[in-house]
Amino acid sequence: MQPTKGEKIFNFFNYLVMGFFALTMIIPVIYILQLTFSADPNLDFRLLPKKFTLYNYKFVIQQGLLLRPLLNSVYLSVLGTVVSLTLTSILAYPLADKKLPGRRFFNFLVVLTIMINLGFLPKYLLVRDLRLMNTYWSLILVGGINSFNLILMRNYFQSIPDELFDSARIDGASEMKILFKIVLPLALPILATIFLFYFVAYWNEYFNVILYITDHMKYTLQVILRSMIILEEDLGASFAETTLLDNIKYTTVIVALIPILMLYPFLQRYFTKGIMLGSIKG
Amino acid sequence: MSSIVEKTRRERLIEQLRMRKGLLFMLAIGMTWYAIFQFYPMTKIYWAFTNIGQVPPSQVSFVGLANFIKLFRVTQFRRSLWNTFYISFLKILIGFPVPIIFALLLNEMRISFLKRGIQTVIYVPHFLSWVVVGAIWYIMLAPANSPNAQIAEILGRKPIFWWASDRYIRGLLVATDIWRNAGYGTIVYLASIMSIDPALYEAAIMDGANRWQQTWHITLAGIRSVIVILFIIRIGKILNLFKQVFVLTTPIVRGPSDVLMTYAYRTGIQQMQIGYAMAVSVFKTVVGLALVLLTNWLAKKIKEEGVF
């Protein structure tokens, strides 16, 4: 069918408008990226570096400026993701069993925590009483299981045919073995999705770090980044003039972005799947 | 034989439990976490009815609704409540339709590499933390030596320090929220558009429906229930407005940007008025739940499927 004149005009403006919005999503990121490769102190808008240099990265690496917060962020994200993913799978599996006595009750409890959220105060005092302040375990244990992720995984497990479990049980396999040897390999798409969700959540965490960590040596990239750029706190101006400090700020933004950008192709692949699964009402 | 067939309920339950020992163990591990880190903190709801934090620990006593009555006499609380509703209202009014419109527009695209390209970049910001989003827009909108200053110069105006401006801070919160999350919403709607039966479009074309009529009667009608569900969820989140404001604002603009939970943070964590701050949290939870139930009820009234 030939498009009418009206449709042609509509199509033109459609591509124009959507293209514009799509560009506004990435142009600021490209702008900051080129700043880290620019030696020019003029920060006017541009998409390519002016007076190209690798000095900013070299300086940051040689001085080890971001090494500590970077390692902290990586440590927290990796350990947190492993613990959260394990806990979530271990609970999603029994909750998916249709014959488990009390299943409805436990599922109700999980949903309850989504609806009633009293905020950070009681958790903060709990962490203090458990003497977990200033440890990453405070963040990991409070992060623990995300109820949304748990429901996503449970729904996926429910879609696996019961016969698989039953035959494994008849063969005498223990439940742990069934989970790790049979269910999880079958559930790789959802595992990947939830792995990414947890990793991004831990990597991006800011508030809980501020809440539970007071030791500056344990601060993560996000905390350093906010204090540098938003609060404009002076993080030891002794070593350089202001322009250099500015360049370190931009470099920090990019360092905080890199893992997300590296994971982005995977996020994309599993993301739509995750949404589809999420739309199944449970 | 009949004794085996006619097992009592109790016996069947015990048998089910024995068969699932391993499962129960896993359930116990997971629910222990829920008990310690979700339900135990939840029991502290009673703090809201005590004077804990205002008196030495030995003198803590129940004070009834005193904390809640005090809330409404404190100007800062009233201000934060107003700000929470006002900013959330703006976000919903402006931000809620954006992803729906984006999804409909993307759905009309026929050049597949452009469509895919736009789909790919549009939700990059969703995975950035509020800190990174803030950093990017603080740099872009810096008052001097920035794209912001450059544009102001072209327009012949004095550059504005947007982030430190009482007038613009709410607008910035709305704009950065759309910038970060509109793409994500678009993909959600697009996914549900994809699940509409193509036969419906074919039938409509046979009946002579034009593209606009197809969009209105098939596409929009097809995602209506998703729109309603996302709207209800969005309403439920109104009072949870916190992390964005906590990260993106500084005390300079507290007047127009202080929200319920940032207020609870200051009174609870920084000033340790635990009972009082807990009352703020309880108020937030109760009103939030009431809003969800109300919207859900309204949705059912107009014959839509609700969340519950």
Side-chain angles (χ1 to χ4, degrees):
Chain A
M1 208 165 65
Q2 278 294 314
T4 64
K5 200 174 172 196
E7 282 181 344
K8 274 183 189 159
I9 295 171
F10 168 79
N11 281 340
F12 174 74
F13 281 103
N14 189 6
Y15 287 108
L16 199 72
V17 168
M18 284 312 292
F20 171 77
F21 280 115
L23 286 178
T24 59
M25 305 290 171
I26 46 163
I27 280 182
V29 180
I30 297 172
Y31 169 75
I32 311 265
L33 183 66
Q34 64 81 24
L35 284 184
T36 63
F37 292 109
S38 287
D40 194 58
N42 183 347
L43 304 183
D44 277 356
F45 182 76
R46 56 181 180 255
L47 293 176
L48 291 171
K50 221 167 163 182
K51 296 183 193 163
F52 182 86
T53 177
L54 289 173
Y55 182 75
N56 296 320
Y57 288 96
K58 231 160 89 186
F59 185 80
V60 165
I61 292 168
Q62 275 173 356
Q63 304 283 318
L65 289 173
L66 298 176
L67 192 63
R68 182 106 211 167
L70 178 67
L71 287 178
N72 288 345
S73 283
V74 171
Y75 177 76
L76 171 66
S77 308
V78 171
L79 188 65
T81 305
V82 169
V83 172
S84 288
L85 199 58
T86 313
L87 268 177
T88 308
S89 332
I90 283 181
L91 185 56
Y93 177 55
L95 288 183
D97 185 334
K98 289 166 198 100
K99 286 178 201 145
L100 182 85
R103 173 176 162 267
R104 282 176 67 92
F105 171 70
F106 291 116
N107 279 312
F108 168 74
L109 286 183
V110 170
V111 176
L112 196 68
T113 62
I114 295 176
M115 304 215 299
I116 299 175
N117 174 10
L118 287 178
F120 40 79
L121 192 58
K123 286 179 191 167
Y124 171 77
L125 294 165
L126 173 67
V127 165
R128 219 179 51 176
D129 292 344
L130 292 173
R131 300 194 183 283
L132 286 171
M133 289 298 277
N134 264 324
T135 65
Y136 291 127
W137 280 106
S138 64
L139 300 162
I140 293 166
L141 285 172
V142 168
I145 300 172
N146 177 313
S147 296
F148 284 104
N149 292 347
L150 178 71
I151 292 171
L152 273 185
M153 199 183 269
R154 185 205 66 195
N155 288 354
Y156 195 91
F157 287 173
Q158 276 172 351
S159 69
I160 299 172
D162 291 343
E163 293 80 31
L164 264 168
F165 305 108
D166 292 337
S167 60
R169 274 181 200 133
I170 290 165
D171 291 345
S174 73
E175 296 292 345
M176 277 287 180
K177 208 168 173 184
I178 297 176
L179 174 61
F180 284 99
K181 290 271 161 68
I182 298 172
V183 179
L184 292 185
L186 278 175
L188 281 182
I190 194 72
L191 269 186
T193 309
I194 289 172
F195 170 88
L196 291 167
F197 284 175
Y198 275 130
F199 188 89
V200 171
Y202 277 113
W203 184 265
N204 286 346
E205 185 59 65
Y206 172 79
F207 176 66
N208 282 337
V209 184
I210 285 290
L211 204 54
Y212 301 127
I213 309 282
T214 50
D215 179 356
H216 290 219
M217 294 301 277
K218 288 187 174 163
Y219 275 168
T220 58
L221 266 181
Q222 307 285 341
V223 178
I224 301 291
L225 186 59
R226 179 168 186 261
S227 60
M228 269 199 300
I229 294 177
I230 296 176
L231 302 175
E232 298 202 52
E233 278 166 359
D234 206 357
L235 294 168
S238 55
F239 53 75
E241 68 229 69
T242 27
T243 28
L244 191 58
L245 265 176
D246 279 343
N247 290 344
I248 292 164
K249 287 181 191 173
Y250 313 136
T251 316
T252 313
V253 179
I254 297 304
V255 173
L257 264 171
I258 286 170
I260 304 291
L261 291 185
M262 274 174 14
L263 288 177
Y264 193 65
F266 302 100
L267 279 168
Q268 262 200 314
R269 171 135 42 108
Y270 292 112
F271 186 63
T272 10
K273 266 188 205 152
I275 293 171
M276 297 286 207
L277 295 166
S279 60
I280 302 166
K281 267 168 69 176
Chain B
M1 283 306 282
S2 66
S3 66
I4 298 172
V5 179
E6 289 167 20
K7 273 184 188 165
T8 60
R9 260 191 77 164
R10 195 192 157 85
E11 279 169 335
R12 273 211 307 272
L13 183 71
I14 290 169
E15 192 191 27
Q16 291 281 1
L17 288 176
R18 190 174 302 132
M19 258 175 66
R20 283 155 219 277
K21 256 188 304 196
L23 270 187
L24 290 175
F25 177 65
M26 292 182 197
L27 185 75
I29 295 176
M31 291 320 287
T32 306
W33 179 85
Y34 265 95
I36 299 173
F37 291 97
Q38 295 284 352
F39 295 112
Y40 173 72
M42 242 184 238
T43 60
K44 300 301 183 192
I45 195 167
Y46 76 87
W47 284 349
F49 306 95
T50 67
N51 54 7
I52 182 168
Q54 280 130 312
V55 292
S58 55
Q59 293 167 31
V60 170
S61 61
F62 277 91
V63 292
L65 290 173
N67 285 326
F68 292 92
I69 293 164
K70 187 180 156 196
L71 285 184
F72 286 93
R73 283 209 298 266
V74 178
T75 342
Q76 283 204 13
F77 171 79
R78 289 204 305 258
R79 182 184 72 181
S80 68
L81 182 62
W82 165 247
N83 284 340
T84 311
F85 275 113
Y86 190 75
I87 295 168
S88 292
F89 174 74
L90 283 181
K91 277 188 181 179
I92 291 175
L93 186 74
I94 304 167
F96 191 77
V98 171
I100 302 173
I101 296 167
F102 277 11
L104 293 178
L105 288 175
L106 268 175
N107 189 46
E108 292 303 320
M109 290 191 174
R110 296 290 173 263
I111 308 174
S112 90
F113 81 94
L114 277 175
K115 185 180 176 181
R116 227 174 320 125
I118 292 171
Q119 264 176 291
T120 306
V121 296
I122 206 168
Y123 62 105
V124 170
H126 178 73
F127 295 103
L128 309 183
S129 67
W130 277 120
V131 175
V132 169
V133 172
I136 289 172
W137 288 102
Y138 265 75
I139 293 168
M140 292 287 288
L141 298 177
N145 198 9
S146 66
N148 171 43
Q150 191 187 359
I151 291 171
E153 202 190 294
I154 293 168
L155 297 175
R157 297 201 186 130
K158 256 181 77 184
I160 299 167
F161 190 2
W162 301 86
W163 289 108
S165 151
D166 274 356
R167 229 175 113 189
Y168 298 115
I169 189 68
R170 287 171 179 157
L172 281 175
L173 290 172
V174 174
T176 47
D177 185 54
I178 294 175
W179 187 75
R180 183 172 185 255
N181 294 326
Y184 167 85
T186 305
I187 303 297
V188 174
Y189 286 117
L190 212 53
S192 78
I193 289 177
M194 293 305 159
S195 64
I196 296 173
D197 185 0
L200 288 173
Y201 292 99
E202 284 157 26
I205 292 167
M206 296 283 268
D207 290 344
N210 63 29
R211 262 168 87 174
W212 169 245
Q213 284 166 328
Q214 290 173 39
T215 304
W216 184 258
H217 291 290
I218 301 174
T219 317
L220 252 188
I223 61 171
R224 199 170 60 180
S225 63
V226 177
I227 295 177
V228 171
I229 287 170
L230 289 183
F231 187 74
I232 297 171
I233 292 172
R234 186 72 183 261
I235 295 287
K237 283 184 183 162
I238 282 183
L239 297 183
N240 286 347
L241 178 61
F242 175 56
K243 282 189 179 168
Q244 182 199 16
V245 177
F246 186 79
V247 169
L248 295 187
T249 63
T250 54
I252 309 168
V253 288
R254 184 168 291 159
S257 72
D258 195 21
V259 292
L260 275 183
M261 290 317 281
T262 48
Y263 178 61
Y265 175 77
R266 278 207 312 287
T267 49
I269 305 287
Q270 291 180 338
Q271 300 161 12
M272 274 292 143
Q273 298 182 46
I274 298 165
Y276 179 71
M278 201 61 195
V280 178
S281 297
V282 171
F283 176 84
K284 180 216 86 168
T285 309
V286 171
V287 176
L289 258 179
L291 279 174
V292 172
L293 294 177
L294 182 74
T295 326
N296 198 55
W297 177 76
L298 277 174
K300 281 190 173 154
K301 265 255 134 127
I302 56 169
K303 300 240 163 54
E304 279 294 345
E305 206 183 347
V307 175
F308 308 112

